[in-house]
Amino acid sequence: PKKKHKQGDSIDNALSEAALAAKTAEGLSRSTGEEKTSRKEDGEEKKDDNVGATAAASPGLQQRPPQDQHQPRDGRRAGPSSVTSYGPVIPTPSQRVFSVDLPLLKDESSLGDGLDGHDRSTAITPLVVDCSNVVIANPSSSSGRAQGQVPSVNLSISQSGQVKYRDTILGATATAICATESMLAIGTYDGTIYLYGSSPTTGWKSGLGFRCHAPLVMGCSVVRMHLRETNSGDSGDKVEMLVVTADGDFGLYSLVPTACLLYRGTVLPPMEHMRLSSNDGGPHRHHKAQGKRTFPELSRISVTDSGRLLLLLSYSASSSSVGSAAISSGRQRGGVTGSAASLPGGNLQAFVYNRPVKLWVRVSDSRFTTSDFYGSPLLSAADGASSRRRGPLAKIEAVTRSAQGRSGLSTSSLYRQGTSDVTSMLRATVSRSHCEDRMACALALQSKDEFEHWLGFYVSCLSQEGNETHLRLLVDMLLGKCNDNMDDDDDDDDVLMGDVGGGEEVSAATKNDGSFCWWLSSAESVLGMDRKAAVRKIVLPEMSKNRSNQRLANEIAT
């Protein structure tokens, strides 16, 4: 007769039976595998004898080539430009120790004595988190037999060499680490993220932490992480986490106050874009080296203070994409040489993710180094421009230009083969295109000041050329459907996007946030810039500097 068990023992019995079944299955699989291996060896010997006999009997019979092991299962052929068939494209960090300083909360009690106005928290010895990848002996099983060694992560929080907190993550290898005032995140090679919390009042000052979330499984090795914590006043603190995996996928997640996915995407399109623009991805080489894919390195990816996702990709000087063949071909043509011949946009390029269209926007590279306005005071890394005027576009350009060095396009090399007339025409064309590109990127970053700045350069470029037709087109684009008299609405300067009528609801037409087709909109302002005021304060003064445009300026003013 069957024994009666309590209801609480049913789970234990089920687990015991499952473990016994697993052991039995493992033994059967081993014996079956050995049997199959011996059969396979005998079969291969017989197969070789049969193939040799068939080949001898039929000399004209050719053997069928083996099928590609990496062929997609759906039957589609993986083309050289398909960004979905690469697998892991971002190398996983392989360093042994990962370290990060824990930021401390700033409160009134940590302020100085009022004499210097400095925060005393800056003088406090920082707390350092160290994640060491080690191999330790696996704890013995219930039978007492050791199970070998397993990779592990030794986590420690120390201050002035004194360890205040320790933890061990078994069966994991750390690949990324980041922290904010209230949270610590560790990414591992197996695609797991471990989150640690701290005190809600004192933060990391105690030097202690705890596992605050269940491990998050991303599905691929974690290669980059970024935590961003903001305080929005009444709504409290917000913590967002950006994760990039080795296959190129990224996701931005909200951790506080609620855990949810904000948006996700992939960094493969801009990486493929840089690869294709280099000689390594040229169409004349696809048929020779389809298997050779040299992608740029992911230099940086982070969420800016304005909430935009910024991506920096780079090619090192020793990258295979900048090869000797490209240099020699550049010398034969008498044009640019070196890395510039392989990468017209430079070795370091910046991209910003556009959430509405789910595409990356290239906002900075070195394609316009031959422009008259490249290196203008607003874009210069030198402190000739005030920090007030250094908008997001200028800050990104300062980073990309600082890494370009001499790898950008050379003006003398580009114009070496042309006459003075051709050189002047080409320079004017590049300068005009540069201004248009910067205006479009300023709109993409929603930077009103930088849009006005480059609009002034644009008008100056057209005025120097005496291009009356293009100036008329620009005025028509600015005014657009707002074809009222220029003297109406004295308070045009007070028209701000999203703040019209003392916080009243603004129509979609008036609330133009810098879309791609701003010149087709009937909105009176673009990014808070009144379009009529822009014509009066930017276009007309620049046009008046050239006497040949005086008649057109008077016509527009009236």
Side-chain angles (χ1 to χ4, degrees):
K2 295 183 179 180
K3 296 182 180 180
K4 295 183 179 180
H5 297 278
K6 294 182 181 180
Q7 186 174 0
D9 299 336
S10 59
I11 298 178
D12 296 336
N13 295 336
L15 293 175
S16 301
E17 293 177 0
L20 180 60
K23 291 182 179 179
T24 306
E26 184 179 1
L28 291 176
S29 62
R30 288 180 179 177
S31 60
T32 305
E34 295 174 357
E35 201 173 316
K36 286 183 177 180
T37 303
S38 60
R39 291 180 181 177
K40 184 177 181 181
E41 292 175 354
D42 296 340
E44 288 179 353
E45 293 177 359
K46 294 180 180 180
K47 184 177 180 180
D48 293 340
D49 296 340
N50 294 335
V51 170
T54 306
S58 304
L61 183 61
Q62 296 182 355
Q63 190 174 359
R64 185 178 180 180
Q67 189 176 359
D68 188 3
Q69 302 254 345
H70 301 285
Q71 189 77 8
R73 294 183 178 179
D74 55 3
R76 294 177 297 175
R77 194 168 189 82
S81 61
S82 174
V83 298
T84 59
S85 59
Y86 292 144
V89 295
I90 305 177
T92 305
S94 58
Q95 60 206 66
R96 183 178 178 274
V97 180
F98 292 83
S99 301
V100 66
D101 291 343
L102 292 176
L104 301 179
L105 291 174
K106 296 181 180 180
D107 51 17
E108 295 181 358
S109 62
S110 63
L111 294 179
D113 54 7
L115 297 178
D116 53 3
H118 293 295
D119 192 342
R120 283 184 182 175
S121 62
T122 57
I124 299 177
T125 305
L127 290 163
V128 180
V129 178
D130 292 324
C131 287
S132 302
N133 293 322
V134 297
V135 178
I136 64 175
N138 193 14
S140 300
S141 63
S142 58
S143 61
R145 293 178 300 178
Q147 300 297 320
Q149 295 180 332
V150 293
S152 301
V153 178
N154 284 343
L155 169 66
S156 65
I157 300 178
S158 59
Q159 187 176 31
S160 299
Q162 181 181 1
V163 178
K164 295 190 172 184
Y165 175 78
R166 293 181 184 274
D167 191 17
T168 300
I169 306 176
L170 292 175
T173 301
T175 55
I177 184 174
C178 56
T180 63
E181 290 85 352
S182 61
M183 194 165 291
L184 168 69
I186 300 174
T188 61
Y189 180 78
D190 59 5
T192 307
I193 295 177
Y194 297 87
L195 298 176
Y196 291 80
S198 63
S199 171
T201 56
T202 62
W204 297 105
K205 290 182 180 180
S206 63
L208 301 178
F210 70 99
R211 299 197 185 194
C212 57
H213 287 71
L216 305 176
V217 179
M218 308 306 298
C220 193
S221 299
V222 178
V223 294
R224 295 290 189 279
M225 293 181 63
H226 177 71
L227 282 176
R228 176 170 173 262
E229 184 168 350
T230 57
N231 192 311
S232 54
D234 297 337
S235 59
D237 294 339
K238 292 184 178 179
V239 179
E240 297 176 352
M241 179 179 65
L242 173 66
V243 181
V244 182
T245 53
D247 57 358
D249 291 342
F250 73 84
L252 184 64
Y253 306 87
S254 172
L255 301 179
V256 177
T258 57
C260 64
L261 172 66
L262 299 179
Y263 61 91
R264 62 174 47 172
T266 175
V267 298
L268 288 183
M271 296 180 73
E272 175 72 351
H273 157 71
M274 286 189 64
R275 189 188 72 85
L276 291 176
S277 64
S278 67
N279 278 0
D280 181 71
H284 59 283
R285 297 187 61 182
H286 278 174
H287 66 282
K288 295 182 179 179
Q290 292 187 4
K292 182 180 179 181
R293 311 186 191 279
T294 305
F295 284 99
E297 299 176 1
L298 198 159
S299 298
R300 177 185 174 188
I301 182 170
S302 62
V303 181
T304 63
D305 295 337
S306 56
R308 296 179 180 86
L309 185 59
L310 173 65
L311 173 67
L312 295 179
L313 298 178
S314 64
Y315 270 118
S316 60
S318 59
S319 176
S320 61
S321 63
V322 186
S324 58
I327 299 177
S328 60
S329 62
R331 289 174 179 171
Q332 291 175 1
R333 293 191 301 267
V336 293
T337 62
S339 59
S342 291
L343 286 174
N347 291 335
L348 181 64
Q349 301 182 22
F351 305 84
V352 172
Y353 191 68
N354 190 315
R355 291 183 59 185
V357 297
K358 294 181 175 60
L359 292 174
W360 289 94
V361 179
R362 190 183 67 222
V363 294
S364 180
D365 57 13
S366 62
R367 283 177 170 82
F368 296 104
T369 54
T370 57
S371 168
D372 293 335
F373 304 104
Y374 190 85
S376 64
L378 183 66
L379 298 178
S380 177
D383 272 337
S386 62
S387 59
R388 181 181 62 84
R389 300 184 62 193
R390 294 288 297 275
L393 183 59
K395 293 177 181 178
I396 295 174
E397 286 240 331
V399 175
T400 56
R401 289 184 58 214
S402 63
Q404 294 299 339
R406 299 182 178 180
S407 63
L409 293 173
S410 171
T411 304
S412 59
S413 299
L414 186 62
Y415 300 142
R416 186 179 301 167
Q417 300 296 326
T419 61
S420 58
D421 294 338
V422 175
T423 299
S424 178
M425 183 180 301
L426 181 58
R427 181 185 293 273
T429 301
V430 173
S431 301
R432 185 179 71 246
S433 301
H434 183 211
C435 294
E436 294 174 350
D437 180 81
R438 295 298 87 191
M439 289 168 59
C441 291
L443 285 173
L445 295 174
Q446 298 186 354
S447 178
K448 169 181 172 290
D449 293 338
E450 290 175 303
F451 179 80
E452 293 178 347
H453 177 81
W454 283 105
L455 176 61
F457 279 160
Y458 190 47
V459 178
S460 175
C461 179
L462 297 178
S463 299
Q464 292 176 6
E465 296 178 12
N467 196 336
E468 180 177 338
T469 304
H470 216 135
L471 286 170
R472 288 182 180 275
L473 174 63
L474 175 62
V475 174
D476 180 65
M477 289 190 301
L478 285 173
L479 295 180
K481 300 179 181 178
C482 303
N483 50 9
D484 298 335
N485 294 330
M486 295 285 294
D487 296 333
D488 293 346
D489 300 332
D490 295 336
D491 298 331
D492 282 337
D493 297 339
D494 299 331
V495 178
L496 299 176
M497 181 190 69
D499 192 18
V500 180
E504 296 179 359
E505 185 177 357
V506 184
S507 63
T510 305
K511 201 171 183 180
N512 191 324
D513 60 350
S515 62
F516 292 129
C517 301
W518 59 271
W519 61 92
L520 299 178
S521 173
S522 59
E524 295 182 358
S525 64
V526 178
L527 292 179
M529 180 197 72
D530 184 76
R531 299 164 79 156
K532 299 177 185 177
V535 174
R536 288 199 304 266
K537 297 181 178 181
I538 299 177
V539 177
L540 291 178
E542 289 292 337
M543 290 176 58
S544 302
K545 294 179 180 180
N546 190 345
R547 298 180 64 89
S548 62
N549 300 324
Q550 194 64 40
R551 182 181 62 85
L552 177 61
N554 295 334
E555 178 184 345
I556 295 174
T558 56

